[in-house]
Amino acid sequence: MMVSFFDQFASPSYLGIPNIAVAIALPWVLYPTPPARWINNRLITIQGWFINRFTNQLMLPLNVGGHKWALLLASLMIFLITINMLGLLPYTFTPTTQLSLNMGFAVPLWLATVIIGMRNQPTIALGHLLPEGTPIPLIPVLIIIETISLLIRPLALGVRLTANLTAGHLLIQLIATAVFVLLPMMPTVAILTAAVLFLLTLLEVAVAMIQAYVFVLLLSLYLQENV
Amino acid sequence: MADKPVALAQKKLMDVKLGQLPSWLGTRDFTPNGLLGSVRGGYERYYNKYINVKKGGIGGVAMFLAGYIALSYLWEYDHISGGSTTETHRTTRPLKSFVCSSVILTPLSVCDCCDQE
């Protein structure tokens, strides 16, 4: 049986217990609830600082109606960034490489923003389908294009996160395999490849954080249009 | 010098003599609530010893993550080693996959160059 590079993305399970269950529950353990103290320990302080700063940044462009989403967007961001970063540890499984999980996040949240817009301010929501200053002959075509663009948003959100993480993991595995294969034959080339691997790992750390942020940022933008 | 007489059920695991282990296990609570309580108790002990301290460092989180890596390795061993006990590279593959990089989950084609198909 041909073993392929994509075997790492098969959802693993042990004795019938799916690893993904532990991998998804792990972020909850890593962020303890701050006790009701004036000054907390270092980890809780850092955690609180990061969450507050991020939520402040995210809520800046939103009006008061959008602030209702603060808890959801902040917790989603923490969840995604933790899962992505944990996936870079050896032997761990990254749930966000599964398209099902990412679509499970993207579709309901996007749909919620659209329904909120259509329900509360239908004229404005539909008005987004036609940018200002469009030449008149282009109007029908542009409305169709904007509608397609609207409908493709959840797909783009989910697939973007999946593809970025999957591609990163795959690249790391490919280059690491190359290092191992080259080591006995051409050590110098193997060392150069190992340097590339190191840089790639740094890139993957950045990508893990950025992709989580982009996911949540785009959701907040969609919300901003509609709320 | 004699220890204070303590009931078996109230002893901690490290204080139980080896011969008393089965009877000590019999006194423990293995109901779902009991298991949940012991997990929560374990979490609280770890948290209060390593995380909830004035000058906590990276050590507390690092130990936990190292344990998570070890657990993931144990869970994925079957998958990583190809699942067959007759594989010649069975024991070297998992080690290679760790040393190789931080994200390898299968060592797969490490030996492709010498395989003949």
Side-chain angles (χ1 to χ4, degrees):
Chain A
M1 189 187 77
M2 176 82 163
V3 180
S4 78
F5 278 100
F6 289 97
D7 281 351
Q8 61 175 306
F9 300 120
S11 197
S13 73
Y14 180 72
L15 296 180
I17 306 171
N19 297 11
I20 196 172
V22 173
I24 287 183
L26 204 60
W28 173 61
V29 175
L30 285 170
Y31 293 95
T33 316
R37 298 175 72 124
W38 185 38
I39 295 182
N40 283 312
N41 60 53
R42 281 180 181 175
L43 274 164
I44 300 278
T45 312
I46 293 174
Q47 170 188 316
W49 169 84
F50 173 67
I51 295 178
N52 286 339
R53 190 158 168 81
F54 168 77
T55 312
N56 192 23
Q57 179 73 25
L58 197 63
M59 292 293 125
L60 271 178
L62 291 177
N63 60 17
V64 179
H67 289 178
K68 287 184 211 164
W69 282 57
L71 176 63
L72 180 61
L73 292 177
S75 54
L76 183 65
M77 167 68 182
I78 300 297
F79 186 64
L80 287 177
I81 199 174
T82 311
I83 280 190
N84 290 350
M85 298 289 280
L86 282 176
L88 290 170
L89 294 171
Y91 298 115
T92 49
F93 175 68
T94 321
T96 37
T97 52
Q98 306 296 309
L99 186 63
S100 50
L101 187 93
N102 296 333
M103 292 302 280
F105 278 130
V107 174
L109 293 172
W110 162 83
L111 195 60
T113 60
V114 168
I115 290 177
I116 285 175
M118 291 293 178
R119 192 171 165 270
N120 297 344
Q121 39 185 33
T123 316
I124 300 178
L126 285 171
H128 283 305
L129 292 179
L130 187 65
E132 278 183 31
T134 316
I136 298 187
L138 279 178
I139 289 179
V141 183
L142 212 56
I143 292 191
I144 296 174
I145 291 175
E146 289 288 330
T147 311
I148 297 174
S149 154
L150 177 72
L151 294 173
I152 216 142
R153 276 176 181 176
L155 202 66
L157 269 179
V159 174
R160 181 186 302 112
L161 188 55
T162 311
N164 268 292
L165 269 107
T166 309
H169 283 42
L170 213 56
L171 262 176
I172 286 183
Q173 183 160 5
L174 277 167
I175 296 186
T177 309
V179 171
F180 255 126
V181 169
L182 286 173
L183 205 54
M185 295 193 287
M186 294 181 275
T188 324
V189 179
I191 290 172
L192 285 173
T193 319
V196 172
L197 179 64
F198 175 67
L199 293 172
L200 184 66
T201 312
L202 287 180
L203 175 71
E204 278 313 303
V205 172
V207 163
M209 293 192 281
I210 289 170
Q211 285 306 317
Y213 176 61
V214 159
F215 192 96
V216 175
L217 183 72
L218 281 172
L219 268 175
S220 76
L221 284 174
Y222 301 156
L223 182 66
Q224 199 182 328
E225 280 181 1
N226 287 310
V227 84
Chain B
M1 154 154 153
D3 298 325
K4 269 193 305 191
V6 179
L8 185 63
Q10 284 158 4
K11 281 191 176 180
K12 288 194 183 167
L13 176 60
M14 288 295 133
D15 298 330
V16 172
K17 306 269 184 296
L18 204 56
Q20 298 169 321
L21 192 60
S23 27
W24 179 83
L25 278 174
T27 64
R28 303 301 291 175
D29 183 13
F30 286 109
T31 63
N33 263 341
L35 288 171
L36 217 62
S38 58
V39 169
R40 199 181 309 133
Y43 174 80
E44 294 282 319
R45 279 200 305 273
Y46 187 87
Y47 178 69
N48 287 323
K49 182 163 183 190
Y50 293 112
I51 315 275
N52 198 12
V53 290
K54 205 158 61 163
K55 294 179 86 174
I58 202 173
V61 182
M63 278 195 295
F64 181 77
L65 291 178
Y68 176 55
I69 294 174
L71 191 70
S72 302
Y73 173 69
L74 284 174
W75 275 356
E76 303 241 349
Y77 183 75
D78 215 16
H79 189 225
I80 293 175
S81 70
S84 164
T85 53
T86 59
E87 293 267 357
T88 51
H89 296 274
R90 188 171 63 93
T91 50
T92 58
R93 271 189 174 186
L95 185 59
K96 267 187 188 166
S97 64
F98 178 84
V99 169
C100 218
S101 92
S102 60
V103 192
I104 287 193
L105 293 180
T106 61
L108 53 95
S109 55
V110 172
C111 303
D112 265 5
C113 59
C114 41
D115 275 354
Q116 276 103 34
E117 290 199 273

